[in-house]
Amino acid sequence: MCESLKIVGKNDDLYLPEPARIIEIKEFTPQEKFFRVEILSGKSLGHMPGQFVQVSILGIGEAPISVSSPPSDDNKFDLCVRAVGNVTNKLHTLKENDIIHIRGPFGHGFDNKILEKMEGKELLFIAGGIGYVPLRSLINKVLPQSDKYKKVSILYGCKTRPERMYQDELEQIHNLGGNVELLETVDNGDDKWNGNVGVITTLIPKVDFDINNTIAVICGPPIMYKFVLQSLLGRNLPKESIYMSLERRMKCGVGKCGHCQMEGVYVCQEGPVFNYADVQNNEEVL
Amino acid sequence: MNENAEVLLISKSDLLAGIDKVLASHKVAALTTKEERTLYDFISASSEIELDYKPTVLSPKKFFFPQDEVIVEYTDDGKVTAKIDAEPMILFGIRPCDINGIKILDEAFADSNGDPNYLAKREKAVIIGMDCKAICDENAFCYKVKANYAHSGFDVMLQEQGDKYVVQAVTDKGREFMKNFNTTAGNQSDVEAFLNEKAEGFKDKTPFKDLDKLPEVMAANYNHKVWDEESSRCLSCGSCIMVCPTCYCFDVADELALSLKKGERIRRWDACMLSSFAEVAGNENFREDKKDRLHHRISRKFDYLMKKHGQSVCVGCGRCVRACLANISPKTIVEKITCDKGE
C-alpha cells in the first residue's frame, strides 16, 4: 500500500459558481417570476429535463432551482422562481442584464433511458402549482414531437386562477389539439374562471388512459403526491409507470451536505426524479 | 494492518526526540492539554504531547473538515474564486476509533464528486496512529463496532510496549516520515505480543449481536418503541453531531464584509438533529418530529451509510454519549433493538 487515501474523483471547482446574465424577466404572479438566463462563458448548460441548478447571489447565498426549459444547444435556459427565502427574494429584485451565478446542472433527471421508455406511450403529466416549473423542462421537449407519443395529457392545478404560471403557453397548449390535451383546475374559482374547480385529483377521472401503456409524471407540493398516487394506483396504473420529481432542501448538490437525504437516498444524486417503484418503501419520500 | 509492513522498534525518548526534529519543518498536531482540557491541537514541542489517551471533546476530523471554512471568495468587481487552503501537517497519536472515522470521511469526500477542500488538507497530512490496549472510559464502545482495531486509513501505527513502541509504517508517506526517527529492527512477534496484550485488555468486550447485519436489523425496526423512548428526552441541541467523528453534514452561508466590497461563502457543520435541518421553502419540514431526527441520525450510522461504507459508521468513540445532556447513546439504542443485553 503506498497511500492511505483512495481518491475516486476530485474537482477543484466543485463549489465555484460561474456567472450568468439575466436576459429576460416576466412577472407571472406577485410571488413567481420567470427568468431567462445565459451563461456568460457561452457554453451550454447541458442539462437533462428534470435537473436543477444551484443559483447564487453573491453576498446572499445559494438555492437549488429547477431548470424550467428543455435541453438546448445554446447557452440559455429558463428558471421560474417563487420568492420564499433569502436568495429567491433577492432574485426577485434583480433586473434584466444583472449577473447571477450558477453551479450545475445537478441531480438525476429524465435521462435517455426514461425518455426512450416514454416513446409510443400515453404521457400523463400531473402538476400542482409551482410543480409545473420542473415538468415544463420535459413537457416542452415532448410537445414539439408529440407524434412520438400515443397521447400527451397535461393536468395542471393551482390554488386560484391568477396563480397559473406560463399562461400564454398554457393557452397555446389548449389550442394544439391532436393527441395533446391540457386539463386545468383551481382550488378556488372566481368569476373569470369557467374551468374545473377542485383539487388536482378531481381531474384524474376525466382522463382516459390505458394503464398498460401510460407513463405518469408528477410534481407538486408534498401533500399532493399522496393523493395523486392513491388515485393513479386506484386506477391500477403500475408503480413502475409513475415518475415523481421531488423537492428537498439542498446546500451542496453533490451528495455531501445531507440536507436532501430521504433515508439513505440523496435526492440531489439519485433524484430529484424518481420512479415510484424504486422508492415506494422509503418512509421519508412522502 | 498490512502483515508485510516492516516492523521497527523505538524508545519513548527517541520517539519524542524525533517529533522535535520533525517540528522544525512541519506543523504537528497531537493529543495535548490546554486549560486543563485534553484535545488534539498543534504543538510546539514534544513535551506537550499526552502519550496516554484521555477522551477529547472533538475528534481530529476538525483538521480536514473544520467547523467553519471559507470555500468561495468574491469581490464587488465580479471576481469569484474557489478558496482551498491546505498545508502539510502531521497528525500524531490518532487512536483506532478516530482512524476509522477518518477512513469513513475519506470515502465520503473522495467519491466521484471529490471535495476539493477536504482532499487538499487530507492529501497533505501524514497520520501517525497510536493503538489502544483497553477501553478509554465507560462511555466508549469502540469494541461494539470493532473500531478498536484500525486496518487502514493511517500511514504509521505505533503500539506501546513497556518503555518502547512497536512501529509499522504502511505507506510511502509513513516510511518517509520514519526516516526522521532513530529506530531499531523489530519483528512480527513484537506486533503479536502487543496484539495479545490488546486482546486481553478487550477480553469480554464483545461486538453488537449480528454487527454485520445491522442495516437489515435497523430497517426492520423502523417503528421500534426505542425511538419514542430515547427521543422523548432529546433536547434537539445537536451536540451529538458537533462532537461526532463521522458526521459530515454541512450548511453553506454567505457573509459580506462590512465594506460590502467583498464577501465569503462559508460552510459550517450542520446537524440533522436540529429541527430546521430538513425544512424547505414554505415551511414544509420533512423531519419535523425529533423521533424522526434521532431515527435518521442513528440509521445513518448503522444502516444507510453502513451499507455504503461496508462498516459501522458509528465508531463507538463515545463522544456523543459524553456530550449528551439527555443520556442518549447509540449503544443503548442498538442494544434495545437487537435485544443485546450488553457486555
Side-chain angles (χ1 to χ4, degrees), chain A residues 132-150:
Chain A
Y132 188 81
V133 170
L135 291 195
R136 180 179 176 262
S137 66
L138 181 59
I139 289 172
N140 285 9
K141 178 175 169 60
V142 161
L143 290 181
Q145 44 182 9
S146 61
D147 54 338
K148 271 186 165 176
Y149 308 92
K150 192 146 180 270

Side-chain angles (χ1 to χ4, degrees), chain B residues 245-298:
Chain B
T246 67
C247 274
Y248 56 86
C249 290
F250 57 82
D251 186 30
V252 178
D254 278 35
E255 284 186 8
L256 273 179
L258 283 176
S259 67
L260 302 181
K261 292 196 178 304
K262 59 178 185 177
E264 296 171 332
R265 181 157 291 165
I266 299 168
R267 77 155 155 208
R268 296 198 170 91
W269 294 351
D270 204 349
C272 64
M273 296 294 279
L274 300 179
S275 59
S276 61
F277 187 81
E279 211 171 59
V280 295
N283 296 326
E284 180 77 31
N285 192 334
F286 290 98
R287 229 172 273 120
E288 202 162 15
D289 193 334
K290 61 184 181 179
K291 172 182 154 188
D292 295 333
R293 297 196 292 273
L294 180 65
H295 177 271
H296 182 71
R297 169 169 152 75
I298 300 296

Side-chain angles (χ1 to χ4, degrees), chain B residues 31-256:
Chain B
L31 196 67
T32 185
T33 299
K34 282 192 177 155
E35 296 179 10
E36 291 163 28
R37 294 297 280 257
T38 305
L39 74 168
Y40 284 101
D41 204 352
F42 292 105
I43 54 163
S44 50
S46 68
S47 57
E48 295 167 23
I49 297 177
E50 298 279 356
L51 287 169
D52 294 327
Y53 186 72
K54 290 187 197 89
T56 60
V57 174
L58 297 183
S59 78
K61 169 180 92 174
K62 63 184 180 180
F63 295 109
F64 305 138
F65 177 44
Q67 189 154 12
D68 45 67
E69 172 176 25
V70 177
I71 54 174
V72 175
E73 288 178 318
Y74 42 83
T75 51
D76 64 350
D77 59 4
K79 196 167 166 231
V80 188
T81 42
K83 186 156 195 288
I84 301 166
D85 277 341
E87 55 183 330
M89 180 196 319
I90 313 292
L91 287 190
F92 179 83
I94 309 303
R95 267 56 183 184
C97 58
D98 285 335
I99 290 173
N100 278 294
I102 291 170
K103 180 173 169 270
I104 284 157
L105 292 187
D106 285 352
E107 288 165 5
F109 283 116
D111 65 4
S112 53
N113 289 316
D115 186 283
N117 297 75
Y118 178 92
L119 291 177
K121 294 180 184 67
R122 177 66 181 84
E123 281 182 295
K124 289 190 174 168
V126 184
I127 297 179
I128 314 301
M130 179 83 81
D131 212 342
C132 296
K133 278 191 282 200
I135 197 92
C136 59
D137 76 355
E138 69 283 4
N139 295 312
F141 54 96
C142 49
Y143 59 94
K144 282 277 166 197
V145 289
K146 295 186 181 172
N148 49 337
Y149 289 87
H151 303 285
S152 63
F154 55 88
D155 297 292
V156 177
M157 182 60 86
L158 302 173
Q159 295 169 321
E160 187 189 27
Q161 265 213 300
D163 58 357
K164 63 180 188 296
Y165 288 90
V166 183
V167 182
Q168 288 174 90
V170 298
T171 65
D172 291 345
K173 259 190 207 171
R175 284 182 279 273
E176 188 62 31
F177 175 78
M178 285 315 297
K179 288 181 183 165
N180 295 298
F181 295 81
N182 187 14
T183 55
T184 56
N187 56 54
Q188 201 57 37
S189 65
D190 295 309
V191 177
E192 276 156 28
F194 174 87
L195 290 176
N196 288 337
E197 212 181 319
K198 178 166 181 162
E200 188 62 28
F202 282 97
K203 201 170 77 173
D204 306 325
K205 304 277 189 210
T206 52
F208 284 131
K209 201 164 87 181
D210 294 328
L211 173 64
D212 297 336
K213 292 190 194 125
L214 277 184
E216 295 106 277
V217 174
M218 296 301 283
N221 285 281
Y222 205 105
N223 298 311
H224 194 283
K225 64 182 193 303
V226 72
W227 302 116
D228 271 319
E229 287 169 3
E230 296 298 308
S231 68
S232 65
R233 302 191 304 278
C234 178
L235 304 167
S236 298
C237 68
S239 298
C240 48
I241 288 164
M242 295 298 107
V243 301
C244 180
T246 67
C247 274
Y248 56 86
C249 290
F250 57 82
D251 186 30
V252 178
D254 278 35
E255 284 186 8
L256 273 179

Side-chain angles (χ1 to χ4, degrees), chain A residues 252-263:
Chain A
C252 71
V254 291
K256 306 269 183 292
C257 81
H259 287 270
C260 70
Q261 246 192 330
M262 311 183 300
E263 296 188 355

Side-chain angles (χ1 to χ4, degrees), chain A residues 54-69:
Chain A
Q54 286 281 3
V55 174
S56 274
I57 299 190
L58 301 179
I60 305 290
E62 217 176 26
I65 308 283
S66 302
V67 179
S68 192
S69 49

